[in-house]
Amino acid sequence: MDIQEFESLAFQEYIDHENGARYVLDFIEGNDEDGQNFFTIKQLDEDGEEDFLGTTPDNGNNVAMMAWEYNAVPVREV
C-alpha cells in the first residue's frame, strides 16, 4: 500500500517508534454548515482507551502532519 492509498483510508493508524505511542485518525464526513470533511486524532493508551487530541482537515497531508506534530509514521499492511 502506498502513501496515497493509506491516506484515502477512513481509519488510519500511526506509531511513534521512539516512545511506542499509537495514534488513530478516523474520517468524519462534513455535516456542519461548511461541509468540510475532517479526521479526529486520538492517542491510544496501553489499555486501548482513546484520548481525543483534536481534528485535522481531510487535505491529503495526514502522513506529513503526523510526522511533524507527533513524530509518528503510518502502520501499514505489507
Side-chain angles (χ1 to χ4, degrees):
M1 175 182 305
D2 67 14
I3 296 294
Q4 289 177 332
E5 288 174 315
F6 182 82
E7 289 210 353
S8 70
L9 297 174
F11 178 82
Q12 302 170 14
E13 188 173 349
Y14 294 82
I15 187 167
D16 177 345
H17 287 293
E18 288 184 17
N19 63 20
R22 297 182 78 81
Y23 304 91
V24 293
L25 272 61
D26 285 315
F27 178 77
I28 305 294
E29 188 171 342
N31 57 3
D32 57 4
E33 54 193 51
D34 67 5
Q36 296 292 329
N37 298 333
F38 63 95
F39 285 87
T40 60
I41 305 168
K42 300 174 187 170
Q43 184 172 1
L44 299 176
D45 65 17
E46 291 110 21
D47 298 327
E49 297 293 319
E50 297 177 344
D51 294 322
F52 180 77
L53 300 176
T55 62
T56 188
D58 179 21
N59 59 10
N61 290 327
N62 291 342
V63 171
M65 182 276 303
M66 290 299 290
W68 179 262
E69 293 291 330
Y70 300 101
N71 194 35
V73 296
V75 175
R76 298 184 282 178
E77 299 291 324
V78 190

